[in-house]
Amino acid sequence: MTFQWPEMLWLYLALPLLVAAYLYALRRKKKLALRYASLTLVKEAMGAGQRWRRHVPPALFLLSLAVMIGAIARPQAVITLPSQHETVILAMDVSGSMRATDVAPNRLVAAQNAAKAFIADQPDSVRIGIVAFAGTATVAQAPTRNKEDLVAAIDRFQLQRATAIGSAIIVSLATIFPDAGYDVATFMYGAENEQRKGGQKPQPGPAAVKPVPPGSYNNAVIILLTDGQRTTGPDTVAAARLAADRGVRIYTVGVGTPDGKIVGFEGWSMHVRLDEETLKTVADLTRGEYFYAGNAVDLKKIYETLRTKFVMETKKTEVTALFSAVAALFALVSGALSMLWFNRIL
């Protein structure tokens, strides 16, 4: 446990003073009791139970103050809470290499099945969007809670050539922040070229956005699945930095062979290699996580792990409210016992 205002913990030094004041008050009462002709009569009047009961309410009140001081210091603890993610973007590779059969029945079908299972297990409060990418990236399904529409969008995937991972990240960001000015062409050719081609002033883009700490945006995440390395489009790491500046986490899933594989189809062939280093960099930059799926079982387990992360999330959370509630409870019990036993509050 940590505290945002640890300097407030110096207030604990006041507690021994309160204990000393309480003991001083007890001694004064004892001196007053000496005026009676017999101390035995006083003890008999109080009873054995009364002698220890009188210390319980003050002890509970002191404990209440101790917890209250902890609340003033604004404590933080790492606890598991329901996730706050409202939007999940599935960015899925549909390049030609996804027809490879090293992940049965092939990479694309395995990815589709795992994605459908992931969607089915998400709570109804989560909106899911789908971005399909190959040589370009497009929004196959805008974020929605309708799971039938999501499954239909996944079933419509068509394999294409090339792999533009950077485009997938930028289109995903544009889906999360539709008014932020994210545009793939601008990042590929620059704002000046866009201005010359269109004859218009460039619109304010994401460069005007004040960067936030990576991973601090809790309302949306991106899951990026690919089986190859970037062959076209914006630089992958540069696109990941855009996501990091907006605080959006990217969880990357690599499907394929790091050493490379020859994939053939209808008379042509190509060599594809999984760029794990770049995918790990993307995950690290955005405070996400990288997963490697060597087969369909691994891919399914990865999506199950991600589902768990998005339903329940372990993170550092301020627990001041909990401390305040406990302090109020101790104070309430202290007052109630004092009224019940002695007809007075402390």
Side-chain angles (χ1 to χ4, degrees):
M1 182 176 293
T2 59
F3 296 90
Q4 295 188 43
W5 295 347
E7 59 273 11
M8 292 298 176
L9 296 176
W10 285 101
L11 292 174
Y12 276 118
L13 295 177
L15 296 183
L17 299 178
L18 293 177
V19 174
Y22 177 70
L23 295 176
Y24 175 74
L26 289 180
R27 290 183 62 183
R28 284 195 61 188
K29 286 184 179 181
K30 189 174 182 180
K31 288 180 179 179
L32 291 174
L34 290 175
R35 298 177 184 178
Y36 286 88
S38 175
L39 288 176
T40 305
L41 295 176
V42 176
K43 292 181 180 179
E44 289 178 355
M46 290 181 61
Q50 293 285 76
R51 286 197 295 273
W52 68 265
R53 280 184 179 182
R54 62 177 178 161
H55 301 301
V56 174
L60 288 174
F61 185 72
L62 187 69
L63 188 58
S64 170
L65 290 177
V67 179
M68 198 176 300
I69 291 172
I72 293 173
R74 298 184 63 182
Q76 289 182 315
V78 177
I79 56 179
T80 300
L81 294 172
S83 174
Q84 297 178 356
H85 298 311
E86 298 176 358
T87 304
V88 177
I89 303 297
L90 295 178
M92 302 183 66
D93 191 342
V94 293
S95 59
S97 58
M98 289 291 285
R99 63 169 51 91
T101 57
D102 54 347
V103 178
N106 64 46
R107 295 175 183 177
L108 179 63
V109 173
Q112 287 174 309
N113 291 338
K116 290 176 186 178
F118 173 82
I119 290 169
D121 289 337
Q122 287 298 303
D124 294 335
S125 60
V126 176
R127 298 189 312 148
I128 300 176
I130 299 173
V131 171
F133 68 96
T136 59
T138 58
V139 179
Q141 175 60 57
T144 179
R145 295 183 178 89
N146 189 318
K147 296 181 179 180
E148 293 180 358
D149 289 348
L150 294 166
V151 171
I154 291 174
D155 287 336
R156 290 195 299 267
F157 283 171
Q158 296 290 327
L159 295 177
Q160 303 170 32
R161 293 191 178 186
T163 305
I165 301 175
S167 297
I169 295 174
I170 293 172
V171 171
S172 298
L173 289 173
T175 305
I176 297 171
F177 307 105
D179 300 323
Y182 290 103
D183 180 70
V184 175
T186 300
F187 289 96
M188 283 187 67
Y189 308 113
E192 293 182 0
N193 289 346
E194 288 297 302
Q195 184 178 359
R196 283 200 300 269
K197 288 192 291 183
Q200 298 177 348
K201 293 182 179 180
Q203 298 297 316
V209 175
K210 183 178 180 180
V212 299
S216 61
Y217 187 75
N218 293 322
N219 293 331
V221 295
I222 298 172
I223 300 176
L224 175 68
L225 182 144
T226 182
D227 72 336
Q229 57 186 150
R230 165 183 167 265
T231 60
T232 186
D235 180 70
T236 303
V237 175
R241 289 196 179 99
L242 295 176
D245 288 343
R246 295 304 298 255
V248 177
R249 296 176 188 265
I250 301 179
Y251 293 86
T252 56
V253 181
V255 183
T257 355
D259 295 332
K261 183 177 179 65
I262 302 295
V263 178
F265 180 71
E266 294 182 352
W268 60 270
S269 63
M270 60 180 175
H271 180 268
V272 293
R273 182 181 68 84
L274 177 62
D275 188 358
E276 284 194 295
E277 183 179 349
T278 298
L279 294 180
K280 290 177 181 178
T281 300
V282 169
D284 290 341
L285 279 174
T286 61
R287 301 299 186 268
E289 192 172 348
Y290 169 73
F291 300 91
Y292 172 69
N295 53 57
V297 175
D298 288 344
L299 187 57
K300 184 178 179 181
K301 288 181 179 179
I302 288 168
Y303 272 96
E304 289 176 353
T305 301
L306 289 171
R307 179 189 65 79
T308 304
K309 284 180 177 291
F310 298 149
V311 174
M312 298 298 292
E313 188 175 33
T314 300
K315 59 182 179 180
K316 182 177 285 188
T317 306
E318 186 173 346
V319 290
T320 300
L322 178 60
F323 271 60
S324 300
V326 172
L329 178 63
F330 281 136
L332 183 62
V333 173
S334 172
L337 291 178
S338 186
M339 287 293 295
L340 179 64
W341 290 341
F342 310 111
N343 271 340
R344 69 176 188 270
I345 298 180
L346 299 181

